[in-house]
Amino acid sequence: MIERADQLILNYVSKAADAAHGVLRPEQRLDFTRRLRTRIEAERRGSQSAKDVTRLLARFGDPVLLVEREARRLAETAPLEAAAVAPAGEEATAAFPKIRDDVPPGVARSRREAERRLAREARGLPFAGFRRAAMSVANPMVTEGRDARTVVKEHPREVAALLVLVVAALLVPFDLAPVAIFQVPVIAWAAGSAMVMFSDTWALRDRLIGIGSPLLGYTAGGLIVGGLRVGGEPGLEAFVVEFFNASGVMFMVGTGVSVVWLAYRLVDQE
């Protein structure tokens, strides 16, 4: 089974190879992708963290731009290569060019300052992952590519599960006719919970929190809030009425907590 970090690199190199079609000659394209993969692995330093690899690939930038730079390099060196015939089997270039060379000095300084500021903010402060994702909307470089769009592209099934849970909560006020004996919000919640449980991105604890919070809100929240609303009014019937009046709202609150927690763990994962 391919590790997720390896899959990210494979996808990135594949995009670069696709972009090189029609731009580089076949042998140039093979040499370019080989050197690109070698350089990525060298910069990676054996890390299996998908988060680290995502940041590394963000430093390399758009694969299309890398292909364009390679084409310019080949065009500039073509006269020299024509003047000297290389021995058979010799590599076209020894190594892939440094990635940060193309970054203007002012941009590089701003990036370093933003990274230092985020590092200081992250130490000892909760929910730093959400703040980094929010800041990346204005300046994606501060998270080195780890923003909301990246999360959606990397985890479409997990994002879909969160959307289903949100829909389950939003359906509560509409009082839709049940399907067989099941309420429509419950069916939507069950579908979203199944998607959450079948995901291997979240830890088991996070998945249990995600599917358990709406249930806890519905039962415990309904009992507590419903009991408080009944007050001194006697009778089980009055309590049942208040329970169901409160349980729907508390289910929505629990689902909101679930979605926020799962989204946070998705953004801030290692």
Side-chain angles (χ1 to χ4, degrees), residues 106-181:
V107 174
R109 284 194 299 271
S110 299
R111 177 184 294 179
R112 287 193 296 270
E113 178 58 32
E115 290 170 354
R116 285 195 294 267
R117 185 168 60 252
L118 284 173
R120 289 195 300 268
E121 176 185 293
R123 287 194 293 269
L125 294 178
F127 302 105
F130 274 152
R131 287 196 295 275
R132 289 196 300 270
M135 290 179 65
S136 68
V137 176
N139 184 6
M141 289 191 298
V142 301
T143 57
E144 295 183 311
R146 185 68 179 175
D147 56 12
R149 286 180 297 179
T150 303
V151 172
V152 172
K153 290 174 64 177
E154 291 180 1
H155 307 285
R157 290 181 298 178
E158 285 74 14
V159 173
L162 296 181
L163 291 176
V164 172
L165 290 177
V166 170
V167 170
L170 295 178
L171 289 175
V172 171
F174 291 97
D175 195 22
L176 300 174
V179 178
I181 61 173

Side-chain angles (χ1 to χ4, degrees), residues 3-10 44 47-50 53 57:
E3 295 288 344
R4 184 166 168 271
D6 295 328
Q7 187 64 54
L8 290 173
I9 294 175
L10 180 62
R44 176 186 180 184
S47 173
Q48 286 296 333
S49 168
V53 170
L57 297 179

Side-chain angles (χ1 to χ4, degrees), residues 3-270:
E3 295 288 344
R4 184 166 168 271
D6 295 328
Q7 187 64 54
L8 290 173
I9 294 175
L10 180 62
N11 292 343
Y12 184 88
V13 175
S14 297
K15 290 179 181 178
D18 291 341
H21 268 298
V23 179
L24 306 178
R25 297 198 304 269
E27 67 276 11
Q28 293 173 337
R29 176 171 168 265
L30 289 174
D31 177 68
F32 166 72
T33 54
R34 177 187 57 78
R35 288 184 289 111
L36 175 60
R37 179 64 182 266
T38 300
R39 182 57 183 272
I40 292 174
E41 292 293 347
E43 296 276 346
R44 176 186 180 184
R45 296 183 178 89
S47 173
Q48 286 296 333
S49 168
K51 190 173 184 179
D52 291 342
V53 170
T54 299
R55 289 177 174 174
L56 172 62
L57 297 179
R59 286 173 50 206
F60 276 73
D62 189 343
V64 175
L65 298 181
L66 293 183
V67 172
E68 293 176 355
R69 186 175 71 173
E70 177 70 2
R72 292 196 302 268
R73 186 192 67 79
L74 291 172
E76 292 170 357
T77 59
L80 298 177
E81 292 178 353
V85 178
E90 185 176 339
E91 296 181 359
T93 53
F96 200 83
K98 291 183 178 180
I99 296 305
R100 289 186 181 269
D101 288 350
D102 291 345
V103 180
V107 174
R109 284 194 299 271
S110 299
R111 177 184 294 179
R112 287 193 296 270
E113 178 58 32
E115 290 170 354
R116 285 195 294 267
R117 185 168 60 252
L118 284 173
R120 289 195 300 268
E121 176 185 293
R123 287 194 293 269
L125 294 178
F127 302 105
F130 274 152
R131 287 196 295 275
R132 289 196 300 270
M135 290 179 65
S136 68
V137 176
N139 184 6
M141 289 191 298
V142 301
T143 57
E144 295 183 311
R146 185 68 179 175
D147 56 12
R149 286 180 297 179
T150 303
V151 172
V152 172
K153 290 174 64 177
E154 291 180 1
H155 307 285
R157 290 181 298 178
E158 285 74 14
V159 173
L162 296 181
L163 291 176
V164 172
L165 290 177
V166 170
V167 170
L170 295 178
L171 289 175
V172 171
F174 291 97
D175 195 22
L176 300 174
V179 178
I181 61 173
F182 300 104
Q183 297 293 328
V184 175
V186 174
I187 296 175
W189 167 82
S193 297
M195 295 170 70
V196 170
M197 288 303 298
F198 279 110
S199 170
D200 57 359
T201 298
W202 289 298
L204 178 60
R205 185 195 67 165
D206 297 326
R207 284 178 278 170
L208 293 177
I209 292 174
I211 67 174
S213 294
L215 288 179
L216 183 63
Y218 182 86
T219 55
L223 288 172
I224 295 172
V225 177
L228 292 175
R229 285 185 175 181
V230 170
E233 187 176 348
L236 179 62
E237 183 178 352
F239 172 76
V240 171
V241 170
E242 292 299 336
F243 172 84
F244 283 108
N245 287 339
S247 60
V249 175
M250 298 308 297
F251 174 82
M252 296 176 68
V253 172
T255 303
V257 171
S258 168
V259 170
V260 168
W261 176 254
L262 291 175
Y264 166 64
R265 298 300 295 167
L266 199 61
V267 171
D268 202 49
Q269 66 172 301
E270 293 297 331

